[in-house]
Amino acid sequence: MSLPKLHVAVLMGGWSSERPVSLMSGEGVAKALESKGHKVTRIDIDRDVALRLSEAKPDVVFNALHGAPGEDGTVQGMMDLMGLTYTHSGLATSVIAIDKELTKQALVPHGIPMPGGRIVESATIHERDPLPRPYVLKPVNEGSSVGVAIVTDEGNYGNPIAADAKGPWQEFDRLLAEPFIRGRELTTAVIGDRALLVTELKPKSGFYDFDAKYTDGMTEHVCPADIPDEIAAACKDLALRSHQLLGCKGTSRADFRWDDTQGIEGLFLLEVNTQPGMTPLSLVPEQARACGMEYPDLVEAIIAEALADAGKVAKGGK
């Protein structure tokens, strides 16, 4: 779809642990929009973001924030109150999808396979393991593998976990404990009503944590993944269904673990990211490019859906 020339405010930065990634995403989006002839106002958000948006008076806001407050419903609620049109998912979807336990409650009853597990108080893990080892501990409300720890018998956390061992229990009062799923890391992007491809992520060392995601050369991306057609089809189906069940808008990315010794029974959805990265290393632009959609066209497609939802495409803005 060819868009009229628009004034787009790009929200980026903020104060979450994912600020550097958001700044890269936002700058990439801004340059892509300018290459298409759109007017862009860059906003590195602070506590005056509502005032800055009010002064800018954009036709549409491109939300390039990652983590709180741009991915958890806070900024979405503010923009709803201001009557602004914005990209990506809305308030309710954002609140649910960033919370891993709420996501399970929304998806598992509809047949989406996700790991079991439970919420634990961080202080209790220094007394006893919440699950048989190996297991995973992660924050309930963080993305990009922030604060993830894999606890094994051979690991250096101690048994039980030592209070002075470095890990998410030092930063978060409550954690999600899940069984560790051996095998392969897969991910699928959804744009609008279409699941794109499956990418396999092969970290050069360790597991696919924050550093592996955003440091050039630390992870090999195999796109499309060299996996059986049945598994690829299942990933795309589960990603699209999850996107729709959660009410996601624009684009999302579904992350999976696949135990390839178990066939289709070994495939589990880990989470749905409603604000996936738009950096040069990011997976959504990579999959879109493999499907023939260049980066500026991807950015415009995300904006076009936001405008269509607001009934503004024909008008070209407000």
Side-chain angles (χ1 to χ4, degrees), residues 63-250:
N63 185 354
L65 294 165
H66 305 313
E71 196 170 353
D72 64 357
T74 302
V75 164
Q76 288 81 359
M78 176 199 71
M79 291 193 288
D80 286 341
L81 286 173
M82 296 178 68
L84 294 170
T85 299
Y86 57 91
T87 65
H88 297 81
S89 298
L91 170 59
T93 296
S94 300
V95 169
I96 294 169
I98 201 170
D99 187 300
K100 297 176 178 66
E101 189 65 14
L102 289 178
T103 300
K104 289 183 183 183
Q105 293 172 15
L107 297 181
V108 171
H110 293 275
I112 305 297
M114 300 186 73
R118 60 192 180 92
I119 303 295
V120 298
E121 300 298 322
S122 294
T124 66
I125 66 172
H126 307 308
E127 302 169 5
R128 60 189 176 278
D129 284 332
L131 297 173
R133 298 190 180 196
Y135 63 90
V136 178
L137 289 171
K138 61 181 74 172
V140 180
N141 292 299
E142 291 283 346
S144 289
S145 301
V146 172
V148 175
I150 300 175
V151 183
T152 66
D153 285 329
E154 302 80 18
N156 57 5
Y157 294 129
N159 194 352
I161 295 173
D164 59 353
K166 185 178 179 181
W169 43 86
Q170 294 181 334
E171 301 175 58
F172 304 94
D173 293 332
R174 299 169 72 245
L175 296 168
L176 176 63
E178 292 179 338
F180 173 71
I181 300 167
R182 67 160 303 280
R184 299 161 70 174
E185 194 93 26
L186 307 175
T187 191
T188 294
V190 175
I191 299 175
D193 59 358
R194 177 190 177 197
L196 299 185
L197 297 169
V198 182
T199 299
E200 181 173 5
L201 306 160
K202 295 184 174 182
K204 299 295 177 63
S205 62
F207 70 102
Y208 191 54
D209 59 6
F210 185 89
D211 290 336
K213 285 186 178 183
Y214 298 114
T215 304
D216 195 8
M218 285 190 65
T219 299
E220 177 187 0
H221 294 189
V222 182
C223 180
D226 183 14
I227 55 177
D229 291 345
E230 177 190 35
I231 302 301
C235 286
K236 290 193 282 188
D237 174 66
L238 292 170
L240 182 58
R241 286 172 57 204
S242 298
H243 180 98
Q244 294 169 338
L245 286 165
L246 291 171
C248 298
K249 299 292 183 182

